[in-house]
Amino acid sequence: MKILVTGGTGYIGSHTVVELQQSGYEVIIIDNLSNSYESVVDNIEKITGTKPGFEKIDLTDAGKTIDFFKRHSDISGVIHFAALKAVGESVEKPLLYYRNNLNSLINVLEGMALSGVENIVFSSSCTVYGQPDVLPVTEKAPIKKAWSPYANTKQIAEEIIEFTTNVKNIKGILLRYFNPIGAHESALIGELPIGIPNNLVPFITQTAIGKRELLRVFGDDYDTPDGTAIRDYIHVVDLAKAHVIAIDRMLGGKSKDKVEMFNLGTGNGFSVLEVIKSFEKVSGEKLNYKIVDRRPGDIEKVWADTTFANEELGWKAEKGIDEMMLSAWNWEKALQEIG
Ligand code: NAD
Ligand code: WQD
């Protein structure tokens, strides 16, 4: 069966394409390459032995998106990753984020409806919960007022999907990722942050390899055991596998609602200092870091209640923090060799 993966040359998309192909699916990717490279398609082929289809399309272009669906009437499901994701940039350029992330979703849904594609898996985010009142956070936790336009696009996108499935013959699975990190064990695909990374793990590996001088740890006065903020980091390959299970579930007619939502995390929280410690242990490198003020907009702590995903999807994250950090480090070293 053929799956359309939008944003499939991106970080999580590329890992998901690998898992889909290794589970027997045929994959076609749409990406506008605004935050990725077409060479990722060749690296996917190196891992799986099969080159996924690829079309360079900007999904905000309604005409081109609808035309794509007309030309590919044999698609069984869509995994929609394509979006802009830099929280800080979204604060500076809100309209860019609303236009890109929401128009592309609307065009994909329209294309699906016109061509009879019934299944969509959507990349949502734990950011829809803000700072939850109760930890670990379950799927029933209230959606809090968004702290950024980026987070707001995820909240609105979830609602667009819910309202669309009410009136169209479309089912959805919303996957709320916690903090995806790490890379494929082949070190052929991974995260490619353009410019200075915002996220912790690429900043750690770039500092250790000498691309950055020092890591700033944002705040050590949080109400946590060591004072630094806590997140639920999840290996990107574990995350990718959950997408295959979600697609299997929809295609197998096992969905229990027109729209289902699942938290994808490990259920374990790690502080910034614990992540650094794990990195130093697996890499043998001493990291140059210093504690600075809190980063505005950061929440103190969040980790997932994964019971629903574990029981209902039959999925559980398997890889621990050390394996995540080692794969991230191997990927950084591979990038250095490529130059
Ligand atoms: P990424 O930037 O590596 O991948 C997104 C891909 O979408 C890129 O290849 C980009 O070129 C493409 N794209 C963006 N706008 C497009 C458009 N208009 N038309 C066609 N292609 C377009 O990001 P990622 O980390 O792989 O994230 C994938 C999805 O998961 C995103 O929706 C993101 O918001 C969501 N998400 C990511 C994280 C995270 O921490 N990485 C956490 C939660 C949710
Ligand atoms: C993790 C921790 C920082 C960088 C973001 C998005 C969220 C989601 C995942 C998409 C925090 C600390 C970081 C640094 C640091 N993405 N840190 N020094 O903020 O949990 O979430 O990515 O949906 O929407 O907001 O991830 O990796 O930026 O930060 O001390 O240089 O590391 O303060 O506690 P975050 P992150």
Side-chain angles (χ1 to χ4, degrees), residues 273-321:
L273 290 180
E274 285 172 326
V275 172
I276 293 173
K277 216 172 282 167
S278 164
F279 173 77
E280 289 184 330
K281 185 174 86 182
V282 299
S283 69
E285 301 284 327
K286 187 94 196 75
L287 193 75
N288 186 22
Y289 70 88
K290 78 166 185 194
I291 311 282
V292 300
D293 286 347
R294 293 181 181 195
R295 182 170 67 177
D298 267 354
I299 58 167
E300 183 168 87
K301 49 191 166 192
V302 63
W303 59 93
D305 185 324
T306 59
T307 312
F308 189 54
N310 298 159
E311 290 178 358
E312 199 53 50
L313 289 180
W315 166 89
K316 198 171 182 1
E318 287 168 357
K319 297 174 193 290
I321 191 74

Side-chain angles (χ1 to χ4, degrees), residues 312-332:
E312 199 53 50
L313 289 180
W315 166 89
K316 198 171 182 1
E318 287 168 357
K319 297 174 193 290
I321 191 74
D322 289 349
E323 201 173 341
M324 299 183 213
M325 297 310 291
L326 183 60
S327 68
W329 181 230
N330 287 339
W331 168 242
E332 188 67 59

